Amino acid sequence: MKPPRIKAAVIGSGAGGAHAAYALAQAWGDGVALLEAGKHLTAKDFTQLESEMIPKLYAGAGTQASEDGSIGVLQGKAVGGSTVINDALCFRPPPEIRDRWAAYGVDVDLSGLSLLADEVEALLNVQRIPKEMINRANYLVGLGAAKLGWSGERLHHNAAGCLQCGFRHLGCAYDAKRSTNVSIVPRFEQLGGQLLAEHAVHHLERRGGAWVLHTDTPTGRVELEAEHVVVCAGVVQTPTLLLRSGIDAGRNVQLHVQTVAWGDFAEPVEQHAGIPMSYGVLEHSDVYGHTGPGFLIEGVGVQPLSFSVQPQAEGPLHEEILGRYRHLAGALSLVRSTSRGSITLKNDRPSIDYPLVEHDAERLADFYERAFELFMAAGAERVLLAHRETRWTTSAPGRLPIGAGKQYLYTAHPFGGATRGDVCDGVGRVKGQDGLWVLDGSAIPEALGVNPQVTIAALALEGARRLSAEAGG
Ligand SMILES: Cc1cc2nc3c(=O)[nH]c(=O)nc-3n(C[C@H](O)[C@H](O)[C@H](O)COP(=O)(O)OP(=O)(O)OC[C@H]3O[C@@H](n4cnc5c(N)ncnc54)[C@H](O)[C@@H]3O)c2cc1C
């Protein structure tokens, strides 16, 4: 039997896919389907138990990593994608991308993008986090920055009416966080769009002037046919899907390289309580006019199970660290890495390769030094670094060696793999493939320098509207 043909299919319902689907449904209503590999979970499913929610909500049950195991790659896998588990921080697209992306032949219209960011902020109810919602851990990060005279600020979030329960990384049990599953997907459905959860598109095939989506569902593999396809399966799965479809992709992967340091304070900090991330130090960044070496420091608190792996300790040292959990205030690095990694296919599955380059190692060593200064200035008794050579320290760590296995590294912000200027043209059309677009984080040509969900969403709205206009929306 011939598969049903629809006007457009969007693959993936995270920051990129939900916004693209919403914009397409504004033009084509029920002619648009949004296919999502993960389940459609709702507030009542979010039990706030790490052991239950991490396997349900995180790609690879939370174990997804680079092939050599040296960098954890955190991504979401439910309706709403990574926005379900993210920290809800919202940064506007940095104006520096106009010059930076020009190097890849990508022409960014900053004023148009700014209007789209306004629209995203309105859709997601973005606001600055009120002073009274800054928890003790983030307050201490702000205090250290203020004592050192560093530029920093309370950040913005898309979580109006937040109850400050502390479980943002496990899905919001109160629907306060405006992740796309509760903010954009319902709008898409109100416009007539069809959400197909537990539909994992394995590969695409061009047949008879349309795209056939070979899709795995709980009842087996099905075929769907669409005139236009927008791939938004996230940085690991978008290149994987393109590669399985015989389309050259997977180059130019870039990460925000992240590690952690903690100040150990005499009084309890209770990092698990309140909004996990609310204060950012921009002093060392190279965005919004700052001319630092290229990393952000953000305050962070995590729940105990996630925390337990971060210091990478064993035995009595691990026990001692866990014993101080309630007294630790954390800060993470967000290094705008310059390495170029890749996604390749290995036995039909993605393999992530990300070699750190000298620049990244230098910035990570910078971060450990600055984090030490920050927490000591805030009154910490000692500082804990997620580095195997120096854990607790009361003296400046100096230039720590950086490399695979030497420190805890992860990313919550991968970019690239199907970038504009390479696999895609400057607005997201896949080169040489009629009716095929990429409008998620994998189209972003380099590490952004700030938390990316607003930029990804704004670019997705722009691309989808361009697509519907061109195709007679
Ligand atoms: C723990 C964490 C905290 C973060 N905090 C912040 C923050 O505070 N602020 C911020 O700006 N950013 C944050 N981010 C990053 C941000 O959420 C992501 O950059 C953004 O959501 C990426 O959007 P995307 O559309 O590229 O992919 P995703 O949001 O990851 O969505 C991709 C979707 O595609 C689905 N999919 C994959 N393969 C297929 C397939 N074959 N078929 C169908 N569907 C498929 C996935 O299940 C997933 O739902 C955080 C991320 C994490 C993991």
Side-chain angles (χ1 to χ4, degrees):
M1 197 175 70
K2 202 172 152 33
R5 183 184 286 202
I6 52 171
K7 188 82 178 164
V10 179
I11 302 170
S13 61
H19 285 85
Y22 163 70
L24 290 176
Q26 286 180 319
W28 294 327
D30 63 6
V32 187
L34 175 56
L35 289 86
E36 165 57 52
K39 292 196 163 119
H40 193 182
L41 302 175
T42 60
K44 68 175 174 7
D45 299 307
F46 301 138
T47 60
Q48 304 187 334
L49 292 171
E50 287 180 278
S51 56
E52 273 182 22
M53 298 320 299
I54 292 173
K56 278 190 185 157
L57 294 177
Y58 284 65
T63 64
Q64 180 173 263
S66 57
E67 191 66 31
D68 65 1
S70 64
I71 307 180
V73 181
L74 303 183
Q75 289 181 303
K77 60 153 189 196
V79 170
S82 301
T83 72
V84 175
I85 53 169
N86 81 12
D87 281 284
L89 299 179
C90 292
F91 286 77
R92 294 184 65 83
E96 284 78 4
I97 63 175
R98 186 181 53 194
D99 291 341
R100 289 182 184 153
W101 294 10
Y104 311 100
V106 179
D107 186 15
V108 178
D109 165 16
L110 276 187
S111 51
L113 191 56
S114 180
L115 289 174
L116 290 160
D118 290 346
E119 183 179 348
V120 171
E121 288 183 341
L123 286 166
L124 300 183
N125 212 338
V126 175
Q127 50 194 253
R128 194 181 286 280
I129 301 173
K131 204 171 174 184
E132 60 277 12
M133 287 196 184
I134 305 291
N135 71 3
R136 180 107 193 122
N138 281 268
Y139 164 78
L140 289 166
V141 171
L143 178 67
K147 291 229 165 132
L148 294 164
W150 291 350
S151 165
E153 60 187 40
R154 274 181 290 123
L155 300 174
H156 290 75
H157 69 166
N158 56 326
C162 176
L163 300 183
Q164 304 166 70
C165 68
F167 292 98
R168 269 187 190 175
H169 301 137
L170 304 181
C172 180
Y174 308 103
D175 283 348
K177 184 169 82 169
R178 306 313 290 158
S179 41
T180 59
N181 53 322
V182 295
S183 53
I184 308 301
V185 173
R187 283 186 168 90
F188 162 77
E189 291 182 291
Q190 276 157 21
L191 292 165
Q194 203 190 152
L195 172 66
L196 299 172
E198 298 181 73
H199 277 59
V201 182
H202 180 267
H203 67 279
L204 305 170
E205 181 196 352
R206 189 79 182 150
R207 198 197 290 162
W211 287 100
V212 179
L213 292 81
H214 296 266
T215 304
D216 294 325
T217 73
T219 52
R221 187 164 287 185
V222 299
E223 291 185 7
L224 282 162
E225 214 175 270
E227 285 175 41
H228 307 277
V229 172
V230 182
V231 188
C232 299
V235 167
V236 175
Q237 292 298 335
T238 287
T240 300
L241 202 157
L242 295 178
L243 287 167
R244 287 195 195 120
S245 311
I247 297 167
D248 188 25
R251 295 175 296 275
N252 298 324
V253 171
Q254 286 206 309
L255 309 178
H256 283 159
V257 182
Q258 299 179 252
T259 188
V260 200
W262 300 266
D264 186 4
F265 291 85
E267 77 278 15
V269 169
E270 313 293 16
Q271 61 163 305
H272 65 283
I275 297 175
M277 299 185 70
S278 55
Y279 193 89
V281 178
L282 288 119
E283 180 75 16
H284 318 289
S285 73
D286 57 358
V287 290
Y288 307 132
H290 292 276
T291 54
F295 62 96
L296 271 176
I297 298 176
E298 293 175 345
V300 67
V302 291
Q303 295 298 320
L305 182 63
S306 305
F307 168 79
S308 68
V309 297
Q310 296 185 347
Q312 307 255 286
E314 300 93 27
L317 175 62
H318 197 212
E319 197 178 333
E320 189 206 347
I321 291 170
L322 297 185
R324 294 301 295 169
Y325 171 76
R326 295 182 56 205
H327 292 257
L328 298 177
L332 59 78
S333 69
L334 208 149
V335 170
R336 204 168 74 78
S337 161
T338 59
S339 178
R340 292 268 154 185
S342 64
I343 311 283
T344 50
L345 273 187
K346 205 170 166 184
N347 300 325
D348 203 43
R349 303 182 69 78
S351 168
I352 307 165
D353 183 38
Y354 203 77
L356 287 184
V357 293
E358 182 70 21
H359 166 275
D360 306 343
E362 289 297 322
R363 298 298 78 81
L364 285 163
D366 285 348
F367 165 76
Y368 287 127
E369 289 188 315
R370 300 293 85 77
F372 173 80
E373 288 171 21
L374 180 86
F375 285 125
M376 293 310 271
E381 295 186 328
R382 56 183 177 167
V383 171
L384 173 67
L385 306 177
H387 192 287
R388 285 183 181 273
E389 282 190 15
T390 306
R391 299 276 193 3
W392 297 117
T393 181
T394 51
S395 55
R399 302 302 286 175
L400 286 172
I402 304 294
K406 292 194 192 315
Q407 66 294 299
Y408 172 66
L409 286 185
Y410 72 103
T411 187
H413 306 163
F415 302 92
T419 56
R420 295 182 182 211
D422 178 26
V423 173
C424 300
D425 70 7
V427 293
R429 296 181 201 91
V430 179
K431 290 179 187 169
Q433 306 289 340
D434 276 352
L436 185 61
W437 293 62
V438 173
L439 294 175
D440 63 358
S442 55
I444 304 269
E446 61 168 34
L448 196 61
V450 296
N451 307 52
Q453 63 173 343
V454 171
T455 303
I456 293 170
L459 290 169
L461 285 180
E462 190 226 11
R465 289 195 180 130
R466 196 183 282 262
L467 159 59
S468 63
E470 282 173 6

